[in-house]
Coordinates of all heavy atoms in Angstrom, one line a residue:
G6 N 8.6 -2.2 -40.4 CA 9.3 -3.4 -40.8 C 8.6 -4.6 -40.3 O 7.5 -4.6 -39.7
V7 N 9.1 -5.7 -40.6 CA 8.6 -7.0 -40.2 C 9.2 -7.5 -39.0 O 10.4 -7.5 -38.9 CB 8.7 -8.0 -41.4 CG1 8.2 -9.4 -41.0 CG2 8.1 -7.6 -42.7
V8 N 8.4 -8.0 -38.1 CA 8.9 -8.6 -36.8 C 8.8 -10.0 -36.9 O 7.7 -10.6 -37.1 CB 8.1 -8.0 -35.6 CG1 8.6 -8.7 -34.3 CG2 8.2 -6.5 -35.5
S9 N 9.9 -10.7 -36.8 CA 9.9 -12.2 -36.9 C 9.7 -12.8 -35.5 O 9.8 -12.2 -34.5 CB 11.2 -12.7 -37.4 OG 12.3 -12.5 -36.5
R10 N 9.4 -14.1 -35.5 CA 9.2 -14.8 -34.3 C 10.4 -14.8 -33.4 O 10.4 -14.6 -32.2 CB 8.8 -16.3 -34.6 CG 8.4 -17.1 -33.3 CD 8.0 -18.4 -33.7 NE 6.9 -18.4 -34.7 CZ 6.4 -19.4 -35.3 NH1 6.9 -20.6 -35.2 NH2 5.4 -19.2 -36.2
S11 N 11.6 -14.9 -34.0 CA 12.9 -14.9 -33.2 C 13.1 -13.6 -32.6 O 13.7 -13.5 -31.6 CB 14.1 -15.3 -34.2 OG 14.2 -14.4 -35.2
D12 N 12.7 -12.5 -33.3 CA 12.8 -11.1 -32.7 C 12.0 -11.0 -31.4 O 12.4 -10.5 -30.4 CB 12.3 -10.0 -33.7 CG 13.2 -9.9 -34.8 OD1 14.4 -10.2 -34.7 OD2 12.7 -9.5 -35.9
L13 N 10.8 -11.6 -31.4 CA 9.9 -11.6 -30.3 C 10.5 -12.4 -29.2 O 10.5 -12.0 -28.0 CB 8.5 -12.1 -30.6 CG 7.7 -11.2 -31.6 CD1 6.4 -11.8 -31.9 CD2 7.5 -9.8 -30.9
L14 N 11.0 -13.6 -29.5 CA 11.6 -14.5 -28.4 C 12.8 -13.9 -27.8 O 13.1 -14.1 -26.6 CB 11.9 -15.8 -29.1 CG 10.7 -16.7 -29.4 CD1 11.2 -17.9 -30.1 CD2 9.9 -17.0 -28.2
K15 N 13.6 -13.1 -28.5 CA 14.8 -12.4 -27.9 C 14.4 -11.5 -26.8 O 15.0 -11.3 -25.8 CB 15.6 -11.7 -29.0 CG 16.4 -12.6 -29.9 CD 17.1 -11.7 -31.0 CE 17.7 -12.6 -32.1 NZ 18.2 -11.8 -33.2
V16 N 13.3 -10.8 -27.0 CA 12.8 -9.9 -26.0 C 12.2 -10.7 -24.8 O 12.4 -10.3 -23.7 CB 11.7 -8.9 -26.6 CG1 11.0 -8.1 -25.5 CG2 12.3 -8.0 -27.6
L17 N 11.4 -11.7 -25.0 CA 10.8 -12.4 -24.0 C 11.7 -13.3 -23.2 O 11.6 -13.6 -22.1 CB 9.6 -13.2 -24.5 CG 8.5 -12.4 -25.1 CD1 7.4 -13.3 -25.7 CD2 7.8 -11.6 -24.0
A18 N 12.7 -13.9 -23.9 CA 13.6 -14.9 -23.3 C 14.8 -14.1 -22.7 O 16.0 -14.4 -23.1 CB 14.0 -15.9 -24.3
R19 N 14.6 -13.3 -21.7 CA 15.7 -12.6 -21.0 C 16.0 -13.3 -19.7 O 15.1 -13.8 -19.0 CB 15.3 -11.2 -20.8 CG 15.1 -10.4 -22.2 CD 14.9 -9.0 -22.0 NE 16.1 -8.4 -21.5 CZ 16.2 -7.3 -20.8 NH1 15.1 -6.7 -20.4 NH2 17.3 -6.8 -20.4
E20 N 17.2 -13.2 -19.3 CA 17.6 -13.7 -17.9 C 17.0 -12.8 -16.9 O 16.9 -11.6 -17.1 CB 19.1 -13.8 -17.9 CG 19.8 -14.7 -18.8 CD 19.4 -16.2 -18.5 OE1 19.3 -16.5 -17.3 OE2 19.3 -17.0 -19.5
D21 N 16.7 -13.4 -15.8 CA 16.1 -12.6 -14.6 C 17.0 -11.6 -14.2 O 16.6 -10.5 -13.8 CB 15.7 -13.6 -13.5 CG 14.6 -14.5 -13.9 OD1 13.8 -14.2 -14.8 OD2 14.4 -15.6 -13.1
D22 N 18.3 -11.8 -14.1 CA 19.3 -10.8 -13.6 C 19.3 -9.6 -14.6 O 19.5 -8.4 -14.1 CB 20.7 -11.4 -13.4 CG 21.3 -12.0 -14.6 OD1 20.6 -12.4 -15.5 OD2 22.6 -12.1 -14.6
E23 N 19.1 -9.9 -15.9 CA 19.1 -8.7 -16.8 C 17.8 -7.9 -16.5 O 17.9 -6.6 -16.6 CB 19.0 -9.2 -18.2 CG 20.2 -9.9 -18.8 CD 20.0 -10.4 -20.2 OE1 19.3 -11.4 -20.4 OE2 20.5 -9.7 -21.1
I24 N 16.7 -8.6 -16.3 CA 15.5 -7.9 -16.0 C 15.6 -7.0 -14.7 O 15.2 -5.9 -14.7 CB 14.3 -8.9 -15.9 CG1 14.0 -9.5 -17.3 CG2 13.0 -8.2 -15.5 CD1 13.1 -10.7 -17.2
V25 N 16.2 -7.6 -13.7 CA 16.4 -6.9 -12.4 C 17.2 -5.7 -12.7 O 16.9 -4.6 -12.2 CB 17.0 -7.9 -11.3 CG1 17.5 -7.0 -10.2 CG2 16.1 -8.9 -10.9
R26 N 18.3 -5.8 -13.4 CA 19.2 -4.7 -13.6 C 18.5 -3.6 -14.4 O 18.5 -2.4 -14.0 CB 20.4 -5.1 -14.4 CG 21.4 -4.0 -14.7 CD 22.6 -4.4 -15.6 NE 22.0 -4.8 -16.9 CZ 22.2 -6.0 -17.5 NH1 22.8 -7.0 -16.8 NH2 21.7 -6.2 -18.7
D27 N 17.7 -3.9 -15.4 CA 17.0 -2.9 -16.2 C 15.9 -2.3 -15.4 O 15.6 -1.1 -15.5 CB 16.4 -3.5 -17.5 CG 17.5 -3.9 -18.5 OD1 18.7 -3.5 -18.3 OD2 17.2 -4.5 -19.5
L28 N 15.2 -3.1 -14.6 CA 14.1 -2.6 -13.8 C 14.6 -1.6 -12.7 O 14.1 -0.6 -12.5 CB 13.3 -3.7 -13.1 CG 12.2 -3.3 -12.2 CD1 11.2 -2.3 -12.9 CD2 11.4 -4.6 -11.8
R29 N 15.7 -2.0 -12.1 CA 16.3 -1.1 -11.1 C 16.7 0.3 -11.7 O 16.5 1.3 -11.1 CB 17.4 -1.7 -10.4 CG 17.0 -2.8 -9.4 CD 18.1 -3.4 -8.5 NE 17.6 -4.3 -7.6 CZ 18.2 -5.4 -7.2 NH1 19.4 -5.7 -7.7 NH2 17.6 -6.2 -6.3
D30 N 17.3 0.2 -12.9 CA 17.7 1.4 -13.6 C 16.4 2.3 -13.9 O 16.4 3.5 -13.8 CB 18.4 1.1 -14.9 CG 19.8 0.5 -14.7 OD1 20.3 0.6 -13.5 OD2 20.4 0.0 -15.6
A31 N 15.4 1.6 -14.4 CA 14.1 2.3 -14.8 C 13.5 2.9 -13.6 O 13.0 4.0 -13.6 CB 13.2 1.3 -15.5
L32 N 13.5 2.2 -12.4 CA 12.9 2.7 -11.2 C 13.6 3.9 -10.7 O 13.0 4.9 -10.3 CB 12.9 1.6 -10.1 CG 11.8 0.5 -10.3 CD1 12.0 -0.6 -9.3 CD2 10.4 1.0 -10.3
A33 N 15.0 3.9 -10.8 CA 15.8 5.0 -10.3 C 15.5 6.2 -11.2 O 15.4 7.4 -10.7 CB 17.2 4.6 -10.3
A34 N 15.4 6.0 -12.5 CA 15.1 7.1 -13.4 C 13.7 7.7 -13.3 O 13.5 8.9 -13.3 CB 15.3 6.6 -14.9
E35 N 12.7 6.8 -13.1 CA 11.3 7.3 -13.0 C 10.9 7.8 -11.5 O 10.2 8.7 -11.4 CB 10.4 6.1 -13.3 CG 10.5 5.7 -14.8 CD 9.9 6.7 -15.8 OE1 8.9 7.4 -15.4 OE2 10.3 6.8 -16.9
L36 N 11.4 7.1 -10.5 CA 11.0 7.3 -9.2 C 12.0 8.0 -8.3 O 11.8 8.3 -7.2 CB 10.5 6.0 -8.5 CG 9.4 5.3 -9.2 CD1 9.0 4.0 -8.5 CD2 8.2 6.1 -9.4
G37 N 13.2 8.0 -8.8 CA 14.3 8.6 -8.0 C 15.1 7.5 -7.3 O 14.6 6.4 -7.2
P38 N 16.3 7.8 -6.9 CA 17.2 6.7 -6.4 C 16.8 6.2 -5.0 O 17.2 5.2 -4.5 CB 18.6 7.4 -6.3 CG 18.3 8.9 -6.2 CD 17.0 9.0 -7.0
H39 N 15.9 6.9 -4.3 CA 15.4 6.5 -3.0 C 14.0 6.0 -3.0 O 13.3 6.1 -2.0 CB 15.6 7.7 -2.1 CG 17.0 8.2 -2.1 ND1 18.1 7.5 -1.6 CD2 17.4 9.4 -2.5 CE1 19.1 8.3 -1.7 NE2 18.8 9.4 -2.3
A40 N 13.6 5.3 -4.0 CA 12.2 4.8 -4.1 C 11.9 3.7 -3.1 O 10.8 3.5 -2.7 CB 11.9 4.3 -5.5
D41 N 13.0 3.0 -2.6 CA 12.9 2.0 -1.6 C 11.9 0.9 -1.9 O 11.1 0.5 -1.1 CB 12.5 2.7 -0.3 CG 12.7 1.8 1.0 OD1 13.6 0.9 0.9 OD2 12.0 1.8 1.9
V42 N 12.0 0.4 -3.2 CA 11.2 -0.7 -3.6 C 12.1 -1.9 -3.8 O 13.1 -1.8 -4.5 CB 10.4 -0.4 -4.9 CG1 9.7 -1.6 -5.5 CG2 9.5 0.8 -4.7
H43 N 11.7 -3.0 -3.2 CA 12.5 -4.3 -3.3 C 12.0 -5.0 -4.5 O 10.8 -5.1 -4.8 CB 12.3 -5.1 -2.1 CG 13.0 -6.4 -2.1 ND1 14.4 -6.6 -2.0 CD2 12.6 -7.7 -2.4 CE1 14.7 -7.8 -2.2 NE2 13.6 -8.5 -2.4
V44 N 13.0 -5.5 -5.3 CA 12.7 -6.1 -6.6 C 13.1 -7.6 -6.6 O 14.3 -7.9 -6.3 CB 13.4 -5.4 -7.8 CG1 13.1 -6.1 -9.1 CG2 12.9 -4.0 -7.9
E45 N 12.3 -8.5 -6.9 CA 12.6 -9.9 -7.2 C 12.0 -10.4 -8.5 O 11.0 -10.0 -8.8 CB 12.0 -10.8 -6.1 CG 12.7 -10.7 -4.7 CD 12.2 -11.6 -3.7 OE1 11.7 -12.7 -4.1 OE2 12.2 -11.3 -2.5
V46 N 12.8 -11.1 -9.3 CA 12.3 -11.7 -10.6 C 12.6 -13.1 -10.6 O 13.8 -13.5 -10.4 CB 13.0 -10.9 -11.7 CG1 12.5 -11.4 -13.1 CG2 12.8 -9.4 -11.6
T47 N 11.6 -13.9 -11.0 CA 11.8 -15.4 -11.2 C 11.0 -15.7 -12.4 O 9.7 -15.6 -12.4 CB 11.2 -16.2 -10.0 OG1 11.9 -15.7 -8.8 CG2 11.5 -17.6 -10.1
G48 N 11.7 -16.2 -13.4 CA 11.0 -16.6 -14.6 C 10.2 -15.5 -15.3 O 9.2 -15.7 -16.0
G49 N 10.8 -14.3 -15.2 CA 10.1 -13.1 -15.8 C 9.0 -12.5 -15.0 O 8.4 -11.5 -15.4
V50 N 8.6 -13.2 -13.8 CA 7.6 -12.6 -13.0 C 8.3 -11.7 -11.9 O 9.1 -12.2 -11.2 CB 6.8 -13.8 -12.2 CG1 5.8 -13.2 -11.3 CG2 6.2 -14.7 -13.3
V51 N 7.8 -10.5 -11.9 CA 8.4 -9.5 -11.0 C 7.5 -9.4 -9.7 O 6.3 -9.3 -9.8 CB 8.5 -8.1 -11.7 CG1 8.9 -7.0 -10.7 CG2 9.4 -8.2 -12.9
V52 N 8.2 -9.4 -8.6 CA 7.5 -9.2 -7.3 C 8.2 -7.9 -6.7 O 9.4 -7.9 -6.5 CB 7.6 -10.4 -6.3 CG1 7.0 -10.0 -5.0 CG2 7.1 -11.6 -6.9
L53 N 7.4 -6.9 -6.5 CA 7.8 -5.7 -5.9 C 7.2 -5.6 -4.5 O 6.1 -5.9 -4.2 CB 7.2 -4.5 -6.7 CG 7.6 -4.5 -8.2 CD1 6.8 -3.4 -8.9 CD2 9.1 -4.2 -8.4
A54 N 8.1 -5.1 -3.6 CA 7.7 -5.1 -2.2 C 8.2 -3.7 -1.6 O 9.3 -3.2 -2.0 CB 8.2 -6.2 -1.4
G55 N 7.6 -3.3 -0.5 CA 8.1 -2.1 0.3 C 7.7 -0.9 -0.4 O 6.8 -0.8 -1.3
G56 N 8.3 0.2 0.1 CA 8.0 1.5 -0.5 C 6.6 2.0 0.0 O 5.8 1.2 0.5
A57 N 6.3 3.2 -0.2 CA 5.0 3.8 0.0 C 4.0 3.2 -0.9 O 4.4 2.8 -2.0 CB 5.0 5.3 0.0
P58 N 2.7 3.1 -0.6 CA 1.7 2.6 -1.5 C 1.7 3.3 -2.8 O 1.6 2.6 -3.9 CB 0.4 2.8 -0.8 CG 0.8 2.8 0.7 CD 2.1 3.4 0.8
G59 N 1.9 4.5 -2.9 CA 1.9 5.2 -4.2 C 3.1 4.9 -5.0 O 3.0 4.7 -6.3
S60 N 4.3 4.7 -4.4 CA 5.4 4.4 -5.1 C 5.4 3.0 -5.6 O 6.0 2.6 -6.6 CB 6.7 4.7 -4.3 OG 6.8 3.8 -3.2
L61 N 4.8 2.1 -4.8 CA 4.7 0.7 -5.2 C 3.8 0.6 -6.5 O 4.1 -0.2 -7.4 CB 4.1 -0.2 -4.1 CG 4.3 -1.7 -4.2 CD1 5.8 -2.0 -4.3 CD2 3.7 -2.3 -2.9
A62 N 2.7 1.3 -6.5 CA 1.8 1.3 -7.7 C 2.6 1.9 -8.9 O 2.5 1.3 -10.0 CB 0.6 2.1 -7.4
A63 N 3.3 2.9 -8.7 CA 4.1 3.5 -9.8 C 5.1 2.6 -10.3 O 5.4 2.4 -11.5 CB 4.7 4.9 -9.4
A64 N 5.8 1.9 -9.3 CA 6.8 0.9 -9.7 C 6.3 -0.2 -10.5 O 6.9 -0.7 -11.4 CB 7.5 0.4 -8.4
A65 N 5.1 -0.6 -10.2 CA 4.4 -1.7 -11.0 C 4.2 -1.2 -12.4 O 4.4 -2.1 -13.4 CB 3.1 -2.1 -10.3
L66 N 3.8 0.0 -12.6 CA 3.6 0.5 -14.0 C 4.9 0.5 -14.7 O 5.0 0.2 -16.0 CB 3.0 1.9 -13.9 CG 1.6 2.0 -13.5 CD1 1.2 3.5 -13.3 CD2 0.6 1.2 -14.4
V67 N 6.0 0.9 -14.1 CA 7.4 1.0 -14.7 C 7.8 -0.5 -15.0 O 8.3 -0.7 -16.1 CB 8.4 1.7 -13.7 CG1 9.8 1.5 -14.3 CG2 8.0 3.2 -13.5
A68 N 7.6 -1.4 -14.1 CA 8.0 -2.8 -14.3 C 7.3 -3.4 -15.5 O 8.0 -4.2 -16.3 CB 7.8 -3.6 -13.0
A69 N 6.1 -3.1 -15.7 CA 5.3 -3.7 -16.8 C 5.9 -3.3 -18.1 O 5.7 -4.0 -19.1 CB 3.9 -3.3 -16.8
R70 N 6.7 -2.2 -18.2 CA 7.3 -1.8 -19.5 C 8.6 -2.3 -19.8 O 9.1 -2.1 -20.8 CB 7.4 -0.2 -19.5 CG 6.0 0.5 -19.5 CD 6.1 1.9 -19.7 NE 7.2 2.6 -19.0 CZ 7.0 3.5 -18.0 NH1 5.8 3.8 -17.7 NH2 8.0 4.0 -17.4
V71 N 9.2 -3.1 -18.8 CA 10.6 -3.6 -19.0 C 10.5 -4.9 -19.8 O 9.7 -5.8 -19.6 CB 11.2 -3.9 -17.6 CG1 12.6 -4.7 -17.8 CG2 11.4 -2.6 -16.8
P72 N 11.3 -4.9 -20.9 CA 11.3 -6.1 -21.8 C 11.6 -7.4 -21.0 O 12.5 -7.4 -20.1 CB 12.4 -5.8 -22.8 CG 12.5 -4.3 -22.8 CD 12.2 -3.9 -21.4
G73 N 10.8 -8.4 -21.2 CA 11.0 -9.7 -20.6 C 10.2 -9.9 -19.4 O 10.0 -11.1 -18.9
V74 N 9.5 -8.9 -18.9 CA 8.6 -9.1 -17.8 C 7.3 -9.7 -18.3 O 6.7 -9.1 -19.2 CB 8.3 -7.7 -17.1 CG1 7.2 -7.8 -16.1 CG2 9.6 -7.2 -16.5
V75 N 6.9 -10.8 -17.7 CA 5.6 -11.4 -18.1 C 4.4 -11.2 -17.1 O 3.3 -11.3 -17.5 CB 5.8 -13.0 -18.3 CG1 6.8 -13.2 -19.4 CG2 6.3 -13.6 -17.0
R76 N 4.8 -10.8 -15.9 CA 3.7 -10.4 -14.9 C 4.4 -9.7 -13.8 O 5.5 -9.8 -13.5 CB 3.1 -11.8 -14.4 CG 1.9 -11.5 -13.5 CD 1.1 -12.8 -13.1 NE 1.9 -13.5 -12.1 CZ 2.2 -14.8 -12.2 NH1 1.9 -15.5 -13.3 NH2 2.9 -15.4 -11.2
V77 N 3.6 -8.8 -13.2 CA 4.0 -8.0 -12.1 C 3.1 -8.2 -10.9 O 1.9 -8.1 -11.0 CB 4.1 -6.4 -12.4 CG1 4.5 -5.6 -11.2 CG2 4.9 -6.2 -13.6
E78 N 3.7 -8.5 -9.7 CA 2.9 -8.6 -8.5 C 3.5 -7.7 -7.5 O 4.7 -7.3 -7.5 CB 3.0 -10.0 -8.0 CG 2.5 -11.1 -9.0 CD 2.8 -12.5 -8.5 OE1 3.4 -12.7 -7.4 OE2 2.4 -13.4 -9.2
T79 N 2.6 -7.2 -6.6 CA 3.1 -6.3 -5.5 C 2.8 -6.9 -4.2 O 1.9 -7.6 -4.0 CB 2.5 -4.9 -5.7 OG1 1.0 -5.0 -5.6 CG2 2.8 -4.2 -6.9
S80 N 3.6 -6.5 -3.2 CA 3.4 -7.0 -1.9 C 3.8 -5.8 -0.9 O 5.0 -5.4 -0.9 CB 4.4 -8.2 -1.6 OG 4.4 -8.6 -0.2
S81 N 2.9 -5.4 -0.1 CA 3.1 -4.3 0.8 C 3.9 -4.9 2.0 O 3.9 -6.1 2.2 CB 1.9 -3.6 1.3 OG 1.1 -4.5 2.1
A82 N 4.5 -4.1 2.8 CA 5.2 -4.5 4.0 C 4.3 -5.3 5.0 O 4.7 -6.2 5.6 CB 5.9 -3.3 4.7
A83 N 3.1 -4.8 5.0 CA 2.1 -5.5 5.9 C 1.8 -6.9 5.5 O 1.4 -7.8 6.3 CB 0.8 -4.7 5.9
E84 N 1.9 -7.2 4.2 CA 1.7 -8.6 3.7 C 2.8 -9.5 3.9 O 2.6 -10.7 3.8 CB 1.3 -8.5 2.2 CG 0.1 -7.7 1.8 CD -0.1 -7.6 0.3 OE1 0.8 -7.9 -0.4 OE2 -1.2 -7.1 0.0
R85 N 4.0 -9.0 4.1 CA 5.2 -9.9 4.3 C 5.3 -10.5 5.6 O 4.8 -10.1 6.6 CB 6.5 -9.1 3.9 CG 6.6 -8.8 2.5 CD 8.0 -8.3 2.1 NE 7.9 -6.9 2.3 CZ 9.0 -6.1 2.4 NH1 10.2 -6.7 2.4 NH2 9.0 -4.8 2.6

């Protein structure tokens, strides 16, 4: 089918709280309910913190697939 400009904007123009909700659901499904990754979203930019280094890298891959996410950044506990 044909994808219109308005179809693309609907995906990109999502509220941060919607992105957080979808991302937390995706993280629980992919990494389990105890992944211990802190999620913050501002303007579609996701910042992930905490968790083991492997789970943080996996969480970044999951986050990149969530509609509305424009960039993913990670922050280990040592950086905070």
Side-chain angles (χ1 to χ4, degrees):
V7 176
V8 177
S9 70
R10 186 176 306 168
S11 64
D12 292 333
L13 293 175
L14 290 176
K15 285 178 190 172
V16 171
L17 294 175
R19 296 185 70 208
E20 297 291 328
D21 291 340
D22 59 337
E23 291 177 286
I24 296 171
V25 168
R26 184 185 63 240
D27 289 351
L28 178 51
R29 286 186 178 145
D30 289 347
L32 289 173
E35 295 284 330
L36 305 179
H39 305 292
D41 196 30
V42 175
H43 178 74
V44 176
E45 289 183 26
V46 180
T47 305
V50 177
V51 173
V52 178
L53 302 169
S60 67
L61 198 57
L66 293 174
V67 172
R70 296 190 313 248
V71 173
V74 171
V75 296
R76 187 172 74 233
V77 179
E78 300 174 357
T79 60
S80 173
S81 69
E84 294 172 354
R85 291 191 273 161

